[in-house]
Amino acid sequence: MNLDWKNLPFGYQKTRYNVRCYYRDGKWGELEISSSETINIHMAATCLHYGQEAFEGLKAYRGKDGKVRLFRWKENAARMQNSSKGVLMAVVDDDLFYRTVVKAVELNKDFIPPYGEGASLYVRPMLIGTGAQVGVKPANEYLFMVFVSPVGPYFKEGFKPVDMMICRDADRAAPLGTGHIKVGGNYAASLASLKDAHDNGYASAIYLDAREKKYIDECGPANFFGIKGNTYVTPDSHSILPSVTNKSLIELAKDLGMNVERRPVPVEELKEFDEVGACGTAAVITPIKSIDDHTTGLKLHYCKDGNPGPISTKLYERLLAIQYGEEPDTHGWVDVFDF
Ligand code: PLP
Ligand code: COI
């Protein structure tokens, strides 16, 4: 495969196959391999009207030893199961999730970026209600499918500090809404405020808790973390997505002998952090170099020398070393394949 691996954007790139599985008559069918980029669904499908849709994002990496590593797929499977229950969709069990994901990666193995190019294969499982309903009710038919796309960094700067702004005129999720699961509606709710942030030169908006606007929720499609001395701090909130990357960084921070605090993080505390960053499968670790709050006039600067902070750098290097098979996977996070 001849792609400009080093300059891959985080975007859709056509590959060879996707893998599909249909839920009909109360059960999942066989895996189907497709080379079509389109799906044919009923115009009254619940995913089109009532948001019966969930997706996941995980990555496969071509390692230093030439092998392929899939990172923490079980966490994504569990999260998709929660998402399904949250919007009353048929549940994809671990076995079906795993078989579909691995098949999609293997069939497109030529699209896994070579080791050393700073890129990976993004895997996008998705589950949609395909059954027709006009009343507000769950569908009785579903499609689970997985496609893949070779990608570079989500924030085009890669591991370089970015500017972010606090968003106060929109919420991506309600306090008891669907922010804790990965359903499409959350992203629809964030489109306008993310566009506003981008139009104003920021890499992302930072959302606050919807009830009081007092605490940090998350950074667009990524969790927030702050480093204060020897402590890794990350928000605890029902309206943020439980990030697999964040969960992993928490373990890596502990490995470094750091304390970890998962608790509400007040906006005022931002000035006390030595380093702040966004983390996620797509974002990996994206250090934040400035945060503006246009309402309060707050303007904070981090990374004063222009470089990511030392702890963020250590966490980033350790995470990537595990994902690319450069260092031992002491937490048992990767499944290794020979294809
Ligand atoms: N928060 C949101 C809203 C996201 O969409 C994502 C991406 O999946 C994350 C956080 C990061 O989660 P993860 O590390 O599991 O990719
Ligand atoms: C991810 O990090 O996997 C995401 O889903 C982020 C985004 C592109 C929605």
Side-chain angles (χ1 to χ4, degrees):
M1 192 54 50
N2 230 346
L3 289 174
D4 184 7
W5 304 109
K6 273 211 161 49
N7 294 307
L8 281 179
F10 184 90
Y12 178 75
Q13 160 77 50
K14 184 178 183 337
T15 60
R16 211 159 278 133
Y17 301 108
N18 55 78
V19 185
R20 307 170 180 207
C21 187
Y22 291 90
Y23 181 90
R24 295 189 185 110
D25 302 321
K27 57 181 189 306
W28 289 104
E30 299 298 315
L31 296 193
E32 295 176 23
I33 296 166
S34 173
S35 55
S36 167
E37 292 173 277
T38 62
I39 50 180
N40 189 10
I41 53 173
H42 197 288
M43 62 186 173
T46 59
C47 64
L48 299 176
H49 298 262
Y50 303 131
Q52 267 203 309
E53 189 276 352
F55 67 98
E56 272 304 324
L58 65 163
K59 281 177 173 172
Y61 306 81
R62 179 71 67 186
K64 198 175 182 182
D65 52 6
K67 296 187 179 180
V68 175
R69 284 171 173 74
L70 190 62
F71 190 69
R72 303 196 77 174
W73 66 269
K74 252 189 195 194
E75 294 288 335
N76 296 88
R79 193 167 63 191
M80 182 167 254
Q81 288 154 13
N82 276 341
S83 300
S84 307
K85 289 172 193 158
V87 295
L88 301 188
M89 295 195 287
V91 171
V92 173
D93 67 18
D94 282 4
D95 175 63
L96 176 57
F97 187 93
Y98 178 78
R99 283 189 294 119
T100 317
V101 164
V102 173
K103 178 93 35 226
V105 173
E106 182 170 15
L107 289 170
N108 294 293
K109 62 184 177 197
D110 297 354
F111 288 88
I112 307 173
Y115 174 72
E117 301 283 7
S120 55
L121 189 75
Y122 186 69
V123 182
R124 172 55 64 88
M126 54 180 270
L127 173 64
I128 57 176
T130 49
Q133 292 287 9
V134 177
V136 181
K137 280 188 283 222
N140 43 28
E141 294 190 354
Y142 294 86
L143 165 62
F144 172 56
M145 62 182 288
V146 177
F147 69 84
V148 299
S149 185
V151 295
Y154 185 75
F155 293 108
K156 61 180 184 305
E157 296 81 357
F159 189 59
K160 291 228 189 74
V162 300
D163 301 305
M164 294 203 181
M165 62 167 269
I166 288 180
C167 170
R168 286 190 181 269
D169 53 7
D171 296 309
R172 69 179 284 286
L176 297 177
T178 54
H180 63 298
I181 54 177
K182 202 163 169 64
V183 295
N186 297 337
Y187 297 83
S190 73
L191 288 175
S193 45
L194 288 180
K195 179 175 185 306
D196 184 46
H198 296 155
D199 288 351
N200 284 290
Y202 298 97
S204 182
I206 298 180
Y207 295 103
L208 303 183
D209 78 285
R211 186 178 282 119
E212 294 186 88
K213 294 267 182 263
K214 240 177 110 176
Y215 303 99
I216 307 287
D217 251 2
E218 57 185 332
C219 307
N223 276 185
F224 172 89
F225 69 89
I227 307 289
K228 194 193 275 187
N230 196 38
T231 305
Y232 180 98
V233 183
T234 194
D236 184 20
S237 160
H238 180 71
S239 50
I240 67 180
L241 193 75
S243 154
V244 180
T245 313
N246 198 3
K247 214 170 165 176
S248 309
L249 295 180
I250 285 172
E251 293 310 312
L252 298 180
K254 288 184 189 160
D255 291 350
L256 293 176
M258 297 181 70
N259 307 310
V260 171
E261 293 177 10
R262 191 197 276 278
R263 56 166 171 79
V265 179
V267 177
E268 297 82 63
E269 193 178 351
L270 284 175
K271 58 180 177 304
E272 296 171 23
F273 291 116
D274 306 321
E275 301 174 32
V276 291
C279 63
T281 299
V284 193
I285 288 183
T286 301
I288 301 173
K289 75 169 180 312
S290 79
I291 299 178
D292 285 353
D293 184 342
H294 298 291
T295 307
T296 62
L298 181 78
K299 225 176 183 354
L300 294 163
H301 293 275
Y302 308 88
C303 314
K304 299 240 165 75
D305 62 355
N307 296 316
I311 307 278
S312 304
T313 304
K314 263 194 210 155
L315 291 170
Y316 177 84
E317 286 174 351
R318 179 78 185 110
L319 180 67
L320 265 67
I322 294 172
Q323 292 170 332
Y324 285 104
E326 296 160 353
E327 282 181 26
D329 170 27
T330 50
H331 293 278
W333 286 340
V334 290
D335 280 47
V336 185
F337 301 89
D338 274 320
F339 50 73

